[in-house]
Amino acid sequence: MMERLSPPGVPVPRGPYSPAVKAGGFVYVSGQVPIDTATNQVSLGDIKHETRLVLNNTKKILEGAGATLSQVIKCTVYLADAADFHAMNEVYAEFFGVDKPARTTVVCKFAMPELKVEIDCIAYLGG
């Protein structure tokens, strides 16, 4: 069974995609950028601000799918600037603590050049 999810209180998709898809005991969370859910607008700032928003929104999406950050098995982090890695990693560690998922970090160009970070993930629900 597959279920496309758009839980309440999460950023409204800006394109033809679902915030999350639940399938085969997994939750696949689409790449999240720093959206302020109160305004549903991009909230630019330093890398720590943007990473915190991204991971808070990811956490809300996972909760809406019946999962938690501790169930995340894989993340992909996209950074506009490799120099932001250390600061992003500090915030990332606050969210994952001892429950460290596998991770890939990629330096890239974004369609919206002002963005500093985007993160997607996969969580395992068990079963």
Side-chain angles (χ1 to χ4, degrees), residues 54-77:
V54 165
L55 291 173
N56 275 321
N57 290 338
T58 299
K59 181 180 175 185
K60 289 178 193 173
I61 292 168
L62 287 167
E63 288 169 354
T68 66
L69 287 171
S70 68
Q71 292 171 283
V72 172
I73 58 171
K74 173 74 167 79
C75 285
T76 305
V77 178

Side-chain angles (χ1 to χ4, degrees), residues 31-85:
Q32 298 299 302
V33 297
I35 303 291
D36 178 341
T37 55
T39 63
N40 204 47
Q41 297 299 313
V42 172
S43 178
L44 301 173
D46 66 18
I47 189 64
K48 288 185 176 186
H49 166 80
E50 290 192 20
T51 302
R52 193 165 277 110
L53 268 178
V54 165
L55 291 173
N56 275 321
N57 290 338
T58 299
K59 181 180 175 185
K60 289 178 193 173
I61 292 168
L62 287 167
E63 288 169 354
T68 66
L69 287 171
S70 68
Q71 292 171 283
V72 172
I73 58 171
K74 173 74 167 79
C75 285
T76 305
V77 178
Y78 303 91
L79 292 174
D81 186 345
D84 285 335
F85 179 81

